[in-house]
Amino acid sequence: METTSTAKAEGETAPRRGRSVMTVRIAVLGLLLLLLPAATGCVGGRGDDDQQGKKKRPNVLMVMTDDQWLESMRVLSRTRKLLGDEGVTFDRYHPSTPLCCPSRSTYLTGQFAHNNGVRHNSAPQGGYDKLNEKKTLPVWMQKAGYVTSHIGKYPNGYGKDDPEHVPPGWDEWRGSVDPTTYQMWGYKLNENGKLHTYGKPDDEDPKLYQTDVYRDKGVDFIKRKAKGDKPFFLSLAFLAPHGELLKEQDGKHGKSRKPGKGKGKKGRANSGDGPKSGQLRPIVADAPRPAPRHKGEFADEKLPENPAYNEKDMRDKPKFLQKRGNLDSETTQSITESYRGRLESLLAVDEAVEKLMSTLKSTGQLDNTYVVFASDNGFFFGEHRVPTGKFLPHGASGQVPMVLRGPGVAKGQHSKELTSNVDLAATISDIGGADPDLELDGRSLLPFGRDPRKGSGRPVLQEIAEGARRTPVAAPGHGKPPAGGPPDDDVSTGRAAADGDLDMDGPTSPTPQSQGKKKRKGSKGQEYSAAYEAIRAGDYLYIRYSAGARELYDLDADPYELTSRHNDPRYAKVRTFLDQRLDKLQGCQGEECREEIPEPPEPG
């Protein structure tokens, strides 16, 4: 009735008013047409989602594993197919600091450890509390209009002091609380400020296996946010293949078998092929428990053939490596068991990647999502007589998997460009149009993803502990450090690594060789410091240890790093060149860290 009256009134009004009503009708009709795609997109039809996705900025999915070494990618068949065959694999990708907390802090800040201040997994040099959480990637992406979510592990130490704290920048937060982070069952998550515990450490409930729970939470986030009008940034951090931190019978935390287990009294070896009399047997870090469905999948797997395993001639290596004894048959068996278990733990990660990708596809978001897959650092399995561990820049721990897939990225290609985790924040910020409020040391890798043939002369810096400072560390025995140098306690990390602790998941001491002994005081032990700064340029890896040792490898001729050329007269020009370039990178900031350099000279 009201409509009829209105129509009649319109017919009796002056022409001017009729034109006005017609204009309103056209405007209303136009508005309805504009709203129609968005309204239908909420229904969840795949075609409608695709249409909606084209109008949104691209999503970002960052998948990070823990302690995953490069060679292990061979068992991730789904990941290689869905990401590698559909994207670009960066063959020369190196963590700037091959240690969990510093590496993840570099991912979040786009800065080297010497700039963001996180140099170690724990105090006084590192840990979560050292990170300026207000100046990180999620804050920038959130300000750029992204809905953000993190699931899983965060920089070491998160949650120890305040387990209910939610870091800024994350719209949805499901972070694992330390130390339960390192338990495949019985782990605790802070879920948007509320704590939830999943299972018990000694009850291997298949439904609560950590990797699978993280996977399903990621899938749920994608399904919910695919319907929205905002792009999303999902950071998903699995623990695998990192070892677990489980309580031993005495109630203390432990993750490795005790030195000398089954080899005579007081942990001393008594076999001819092992450590010399009086030496402690090397500690081998155990593997995490795999998902029950994958237990035993690699029960017969052998260690890869690697000439660097139990390296015969160590005279070219620093003294702290020369001190390591041969890896005997029992130690080799323990390393093999750790290797097998870690491979098995990765199978659940591989399945998780497949489910995440299928969810992106079913929600219509796959073609509008960049996916980054990388590890924080690698892992040793007997190379250079290091039973297990990380920390050092050598290829075992200093080179890791990295794959990028997304709109405009080449498919099934490999990039030979030198890249680093310091580039992750710059890349993701570039994708999202975010504006970092820090001066980034890295650069976007999108140009190299779009054209894998593209190359540059930018070197890659690797550093740890007191390495890569503008003011060098005082040489051993020289008393107090120079003005502007590191404090006395800043040598603790390198000293502990030199003593054998290359896993670094706890405080820097006690270490295997100092068990039962009083803590060292002063500068004792610094001559064996493993702290370093290193440069990768061309086919070379050059390492300068704070204590004075040097290593130089021609990786084209010597990919297994068997012969250091630092004292080889034929490589004198190469060493001088790399020394000079490393001097410039030492303590670099922003643009200084991104400068390209000429090709290193050929050996004479």
Side-chain angles (χ1 to χ4, degrees):
M1 185 70 179
E2 187 175 73
T3 304
T4 303
S5 301
T6 303
K8 184 177 180 181
E10 287 174 357
E12 296 175 350
T13 54
R16 183 176 180 179
R17 185 182 175 194
R19 289 194 298 270
S20 175
V21 171
M22 184 62 69
T23 301
V24 171
R25 285 179 171 176
I26 293 173
V28 171
L29 180 60
L31 179 60
L32 289 173
L33 289 173
L34 286 172
L35 293 175
L36 185 59
T40 56
C42 292
V43 176
R46 182 176 173 183
D48 293 330
D49 280 345
D50 285 342
Q51 185 176 0
Q52 181 190 18
K54 292 178 182 178
K55 295 182 179 181
K56 292 196 301 185
R57 280 174 293 167
N59 309 305
V60 181
L61 169 60
M62 176 75 218
V63 178
M64 184 171 288
T65 52
D66 197 334
D67 287 4
Q68 186 186 354
W69 64 105
L70 187 61
E71 180 268 342
S72 67
M73 282 298 291
R74 66 183 174 85
V75 307
L76 275 66
S77 57
R78 297 171 174 88
T79 303
R80 288 187 286 107
K81 178 181 179 181
L82 295 169
L83 300 184
D85 292 352
E86 298 296 325
V88 171
T89 300
F90 289 84
D91 293 334
R92 299 203 295 168
Y93 177 80
H94 306 277
S96 57
T97 300
L99 191 61
C100 297
C101 190
S103 178
R104 290 167 189 269
S105 298
T106 290
Y107 150 57
L108 291 169
T109 63
Q111 290 188 330
F112 289 114
H114 67 259
N115 287 328
N116 64 39
V118 185
R119 293 175 168 272
H120 182 49
N121 283 346
S122 56
Q125 287 182 271
Y128 178 70
D129 290 341
K130 280 278 188 177
L131 177 68
N132 184 351
E133 60 181 14
K134 296 180 180 179
K135 293 182 177 292
T136 54
L137 180 60
V139 175
W140 309 329
M141 294 294 280
Q142 189 181 64
K143 288 181 180 179
Y146 275 72
V147 56
T148 61
S149 174
H150 177 81
I151 300 170
K153 180 175 178 177
Y154 217 48
N156 302 50
Y158 166 75
K160 281 188 174 181
D161 295 332
D162 184 3
E164 296 181 352
H165 170 68
V166 176
W170 299 110
D171 294 302
E172 294 194 14
W173 175 254
R174 294 174 178 85
S176 59
V177 176
D178 280 2
T180 71
T181 295
Y182 303 96
Q183 296 172 180
M184 286 304 193
W185 284 275
Y187 51 94
K188 185 181 296 182
L189 297 184
N190 174 342
E191 303 192 63
N192 299 319
K194 296 183 179 180
L195 302 180
H196 296 93
T197 299
Y198 290 80
K200 299 178 181 179
D202 56 352
D203 182 7
E204 299 184 6
D205 184 348
K207 296 179 181 179
L208 298 179
Y209 186 64
Q210 188 192 95
T211 302
D212 296 346
V213 170
Y214 290 1
R215 173 200 68 196
D216 292 343
K217 290 183 181 296
V219 166
D220 174 70
F221 175 82
I222 292 172
K223 287 181 177 178
R224 288 187 289 106
K225 299 309 174 183
K227 302 175 183 179
D229 57 357
K230 283 187 175 184
F232 62 77
F233 167 44
L234 172 59
S235 174
L236 186 50
F238 296 110
L239 175 63
H242 192 291
E244 291 186 73
L245 188 62
L246 301 173
K247 287 187 178 181
E248 297 176 346
Q249 292 182 353
D250 59 3
K252 297 180 180 180
H253 283 95
K255 57 181 174 56
S256 306
R257 65 187 184 93
K258 295 181 179 180
K261 183 179 180 181
K263 299 295 288 185
K265 297 180 180 180
K266 297 183 180 180
R268 290 189 173 95
N270 54 22
S271 64
D273 64 342
K276 296 179 181 180
S277 177
Q279 286 185 327
L280 288 173
R281 181 170 305 285
I283 290 180
V284 176
D286 292 333
R289 289 170 289 178
R293 63 186 179 276
H294 297 139
K295 192 173 294 184
E297 285 286 334
F298 295 106
D300 299 323
E301 197 76 11
K302 296 180 180 179
L303 288 173
E305 293 185 7
N306 188 331
Y309 185 86
N310 201 18
E311 189 172 347
K312 294 181 179 179
D313 188 352
M314 298 281 284
R315 289 175 296 176
D316 61 317
K317 300 295 188 289
K319 289 183 179 180
F320 74 88
L321 284 176
Q322 291 182 30
K323 288 176 61 180
R324 292 178 175 272
N326 289 322
L327 304 177
D328 66 2
S329 57
E330 182 180 333
T331 302
T332 294
Q333 181 60 34
S334 296
I335 294 172
T336 303
E337 290 172 1
S338 180
Y339 175 77
R340 290 168 176 169
R342 290 169 191 265
L343 287 180
E344 290 175 355
S345 74
L346 283 169
L347 295 179
V349 173
D350 198 35
E351 293 173 350
V353 170
E354 181 180 48
K355 191 166 184 178
L356 290 164
M357 298 303 289
S358 66
T359 304
L360 287 171
K361 184 176 182 180
S362 66
T363 57
Q365 298 299 309
L366 183 58
D367 292 338
N368 195 45
T369 301
Y370 285 92
V371 183
V372 185
F373 180 94
S375 177
D376 58 353
N377 49 258
F379 206 68
F380 281 92
F381 291 101
E383 296 90 347
H384 314 305
R385 299 186 190 173
V386 178
T388 52
K390 42 218 178 188
F391 194 89
L392 299 176
H394 303 82
S397 64
Q399 184 172 5
V400 297
M402 197 286 204
V403 188
L404 171 66
R405 165 189 176 146
V409 175
K411 294 185 178 182
Q413 302 295 313
H414 290 254
S415 170
K416 302 299 181 183
E417 176 70 0
L418 277 170
T419 55
S420 168
N421 61 338
V422 77
D423 299 322
L424 291 177
T427 302
I428 295 173
S429 294
D430 187 12
I431 292 170
D435 185 16
D437 58 357
L438 288 177
E439 187 176 14
L440 302 187
D441 298 334
R443 60 181 180 178
S444 174
L445 298 182
L446 282 185
F448 303 94
R450 291 165 180 158
D451 182 6
R453 299 168 299 177
K454 182 180 176 63
S456 76
R458 186 203 66 167
V460 162
L461 173 70
Q462 293 182 285
E463 60 180 352
I464 207 155
E466 53 269 25
R469 291 180 177 270
R470 288 189 182 273
T471 304
V473 175
H478 285 198
K480 295 182 179 180
D488 290 338
D489 62 10
D490 212 13
V491 299
S492 58
T493 303
R495 183 166 63 241
D499 281 345
D501 184 9
L502 291 173
D503 208 355
M504 295 296 202
D505 288 326
T508 55
S509 61
T511 60
Q513 277 69 28
S514 62
Q515 290 176 359
K517 298 180 180 180
K518 293 182 179 180
K519 186 177 179 181
R520 288 175 172 173
K521 298 180 180 180
S523 62
K524 293 182 179 180
Q526 291 183 33
E527 61 181 331
Y528 297 127
S529 175
Y532 63 81
E533 63 223 14
I535 183 173
R536 290 179 180 270
D539 292 318
Y540 296 105
L541 167 62
Y542 178 57
I543 311 167
R544 291 195 311 215
Y545 292 91
S546 297
R550 301 289 185 265
E551 290 180 85
L552 170 60
Y553 297 103
D554 183 342
L555 299 176
D556 182 49
D558 180 21
Y560 295 103
E561 304 155 334
L562 298 177
T563 305
S564 176
R565 304 291 182 177
H566 63 281
N567 283 331
D568 189 333
R570 294 175 300 165
Y571 286 79
K573 290 183 179 180
V574 176
R575 174 174 168 170
T576 298
F577 174 87
L578 295 174
D579 253 324
Q580 293 172 346
R581 301 300 169 178
L582 188 50
D583 285 342
K584 292 185 177 181
L585 278 182
Q586 185 175 352
C588 70
Q589 293 180 333
E591 188 176 351
E592 296 175 318
C593 307
R594 304 190 296 269
E595 290 181 0
E596 297 185 22
I597 65 174
E599 281 287 326
E602 294 291 329

